[in-house]
Amino acid sequence: MGEQVGILVDGPHPAVMGTYQRTNIMFERGEGAWLITKSGDRYLDFTSGVAVNTFGHADYDLAKVLSDQAHKLWHTSNLYRVEDQERLAKLLCKHSFAESVFFCNSGAEACECAVKLARRYHFENGAPQRNRIITFEGSFHGRTLAMIATGGNPKYTNGFAPNVPGFDIVPFARHDIVKSVISDETAAVMIEPVMGEGGIRVIPKQCLRGLRELCDANGLLLILDEVQTGAGRSGRLFAHEWVEIQPDVMAVAKGIGGGFPIGAVMATADAAKGMVPGTHGSTFGGNPLATAVGCAVVEKLMAPEFLKDVCRKGVLLKQLLVDLKSRFPCIVEEVRGLGLLTGVKLKISVADAVRACFYEKLLTVSAGDNVMRLIPPLNVTDVEISDAAGRLDRAFARIVSHRLPRK
């Protein structure tokens, strides 16, 4: 596949609903950090399915666990105990603040459940009027009707009015405004430790610590959305560990399944006390296939030195990106991120940058605030990181020399 194909935004087959602007390419298989077309073209994948493929494509350990489980049991529903669901819940609690876990299928579902849990908590405490959630401009918690209302971004809400009520959206990094919004109707504060879709904006430590203090002082729950930042992506199992605070409730998904759909809400026993039979449920949540893979992912993440190596590789990638910033000051404004959740804020169109990378067979993904995300699998090699930097160099050179073909 050469430049004659390029990036096209023609839709897929008409039978597929046109809700995505898809790149006109189809991959047949993957190997680690690489995606491969039927014709054998290899693309270096620094999207990881948007921070999903924790150990890249076709990881042997995960594939074996999934295959073994598929030959035993796929689904029983939550009418019965599920062995690996209990094992995964214990693993997650062992390595975190949590004492209780609910399993679902996606990040949006996890965030929805977190909101329900917070409202139910206050209901159980005799304060049902405490049902409003403080959220932040630029945040992204999913695509359900309630979750698009948490950020109020017209890009996601247009055409879906009326917005679901119950959310007080405040500016990013304005502690004074957060404090002023708290009322006797406030139930919780909900935030991502690193805003992923919002432009890889790392929330300053003092802000997260300040929110923890505000919640403690006002009897609120602190909800962290670690759907994109969890599962080792930051160099710790969960990004809030860098700040040395603990949430009351946390939503996780994406990387926790290593590519297999799974989400979870993790909470303290006190925060989860209202989630009794009948208050919430999921048909597929915590099924044997997903939880078997989830157990394998957590065990691999917690292997000795693994997360330490993620930190080292994150530093290497950031250093190479800073070097590119010095070489292309007309293109790169800022390098952001934590661990292997990395963003490059651009002075040019992020769409052009993603397209230029595509021509160099490097797959990247855009985010808000005109940022290009680089989120490789956590087991990416140093050689592959250097390879990606070289492809970025050539992509930026294309743009500077006006050699970027039209769409």
Side-chain angles (χ1 to χ4, degrees), residues 44 317 319-332 344 346 348 353 356-362 364 372 374 384-403:
L44 186 52
L317 177 56
Q319 287 172 338
L320 292 171
L321 293 174
V322 170
D323 289 343
L324 282 172
K325 179 179 182 294
S326 66
R327 281 178 43 76
F328 297 96
C330 60
I331 292 179
V332 179
V344 181
L346 300 166
I348 62 167
C357 288
F358 180 83
Y359 286 115
E360 298 300 332
K361 296 184 177 177
L362 173 66
T364 61
M372 180 171 65
L374 299 166
E384 289 164 338
I385 290 172
S386 296
D387 188 349
R391 292 169 192 250
L392 269 171
D393 190 296
R394 295 193 294 274
F396 290 163
R398 272 183 183 271
I399 294 170
V400 170
S401 61
H402 306 289
R403 291 186 292 111

Side-chain angles (χ1 to χ4, degrees), residues 234-236 242 306-316 339:
S234 73
R236 297 282 179 90
W242 289 107
F306 182 82
L307 291 177
K308 183 177 179 180
D309 201 43
V310 171
C311 292
R312 183 191 62 78
K313 288 184 283 194
V315 170
L316 172 61

Side-chain angles (χ1 to χ4, degrees), residues 277-308:
T279 56
H280 199 53
S282 171
T283 297
F284 294 108
N287 67 75
L289 290 172
T291 52
V293 175
C295 287
V297 168
V298 175
E299 288 168 350
K300 284 169 72 74
L301 286 171
M302 300 313 296
E305 304 300 310
F306 182 82
L307 291 177
K308 183 177 179 180

Side-chain angles (χ1 to χ4, degrees), residues 146-207:
M147 291 304 102
I148 61 176
T150 60
N153 187 339
K155 175 181 176 182
Y156 304 121
T157 60
N158 281 350
F160 302 110
N163 287 350
V164 174
F167 301 101
D168 295 312
I169 306 168
V170 300
F172 172 73
R174 288 295 306 272
H175 190 78
D176 56 331
I177 297 180
V178 176
K179 192 173 181 179
S180 71
V181 167
I182 295 173
S183 73
D184 60 2
E185 294 184 348
T186 306
V189 175
M190 185 174 186
I191 193 169
E192 305 157 89
V194 181
M195 289 186 175
E197 298 288 334
I200 313 299
R201 292 192 289 182
V202 180
I203 308 300
K205 288 184 178 182
Q206 66 269 24
C207 290

Side-chain angles (χ1 to χ4, degrees), residues 202-270:
V202 180
I203 308 300
K205 288 184 178 182
Q206 66 269 24
C207 290
L208 287 177
R209 289 171 180 164
L211 290 177
R212 178 69 275 176
E213 291 169 3
L214 267 183
C215 287
D216 290 341
N218 291 276
L220 313 180
L221 297 184
L222 178 61
I223 302 172
L224 293 186
D225 176 350
E226 292 234 27
V227 169
Q228 189 162 162
T229 61
R233 176 77 27 204
S234 73
R236 297 282 179 90
L237 186 58
F238 301 110
H240 71 267
E241 295 173 30
W242 289 107
V243 189
E244 298 178 340
I245 63 163
Q246 292 186 346
D248 301 293
V249 186
M250 181 168 67
V252 297
K254 284 188 181 284
I256 208 73
F260 198 93
I262 186 170
V265 174
M266 302 167 58
T268 64
D270 182 56

Side-chain angles (χ1 to χ4, degrees), residues 15-299:
V16 178
M17 195 174 292
T19 56
Y20 300 100
Q21 281 198 334
R22 301 175 191 261
T23 301
N24 191 26
I25 190 171
M26 190 177 291
F27 297 106
E28 182 181 48
R29 58 194 175 91
E31 297 172 357
W34 297 86
L35 281 169
I36 304 157
T37 66
K38 287 185 178 181
S39 61
D41 284 333
R42 296 172 64 86
Y43 288 74
L44 186 52
D45 183 9
F46 269 47
T47 68
S48 298
V50 193
V52 167
N53 299 317
T54 310
F55 299 100
H57 302 282
D59 178 80
Y60 175 82
D61 296 328
L62 301 190
K64 186 177 187 307
V65 166
L66 182 59
S67 178
D68 289 349
Q69 184 61 48
H71 283 90
K72 292 192 295 184
L73 188 65
W74 289 26
H75 178 72
T76 61
S77 87
N78 286 297
L79 294 173
Y80 315 103
R81 292 175 64 182
V82 178
E83 183 176 7
D84 279 335
Q85 182 180 134
E86 295 181 16
R87 185 161 71 96
L88 179 54
K90 287 189 287 185
L91 272 172
L92 290 171
C93 290
K94 176 183 176 182
H95 295 294
S96 75
F97 73 97
E99 298 166 301
S100 183
V101 183
F102 175 87
F103 291 106
C104 51
N105 309 288
S106 68
E109 289 174 78
C111 289
E112 285 258 356
C113 178
V115 169
K116 288 183 67 175
L117 186 151
R119 290 176 173 174
R120 184 75 186 192
Y121 168 82
H122 290 288
F123 175 87
E124 290 292 321
N125 283 346
Q129 79 282 0
R130 302 195 77 166
N131 52 40
R132 301 191 67 81
I133 313 295
I134 296 174
T135 57
F136 295 84
E137 292 176 359
S139 64
F140 181 83
H141 301 293
R143 300 271 192 160
T144 63
L145 282 173
M147 291 304 102
I148 61 176
T150 60
N153 187 339
K155 175 181 176 182
Y156 304 121
T157 60
N158 281 350
F160 302 110
N163 287 350
V164 174
F167 301 101
D168 295 312
I169 306 168
V170 300
F172 172 73
R174 288 295 306 272
H175 190 78
D176 56 331
I177 297 180
V178 176
K179 192 173 181 179
S180 71
V181 167
I182 295 173
S183 73
D184 60 2
E185 294 184 348
T186 306
V189 175
M190 185 174 186
I191 193 169
E192 305 157 89
V194 181
M195 289 186 175
E197 298 288 334
I200 313 299
R201 292 192 289 182
V202 180
I203 308 300
K205 288 184 178 182
Q206 66 269 24
C207 290
L208 287 177
R209 289 171 180 164
L211 290 177
R212 178 69 275 176
E213 291 169 3
L214 267 183
C215 287
D216 290 341
N218 291 276
L220 313 180
L221 297 184
L222 178 61
I223 302 172
L224 293 186
D225 176 350
E226 292 234 27
V227 169
Q228 189 162 162
T229 61
R233 176 77 27 204
S234 73
R236 297 282 179 90
L237 186 58
F238 301 110
H240 71 267
E241 295 173 30
W242 289 107
V243 189
E244 298 178 340
I245 63 163
Q246 292 186 346
D248 301 293
V249 186
M250 181 168 67
V252 297
K254 284 188 181 284
I256 208 73
F260 198 93
I262 186 170
V265 174
M266 302 167 58
T268 64
D270 182 56
K273 66 186 178 186
M275 302 305 281
V276 297
T279 56
H280 199 53
S282 171
T283 297
F284 294 108
N287 67 75
L289 290 172
T291 52
V293 175
C295 287
V297 168
V298 175
E299 288 168 350

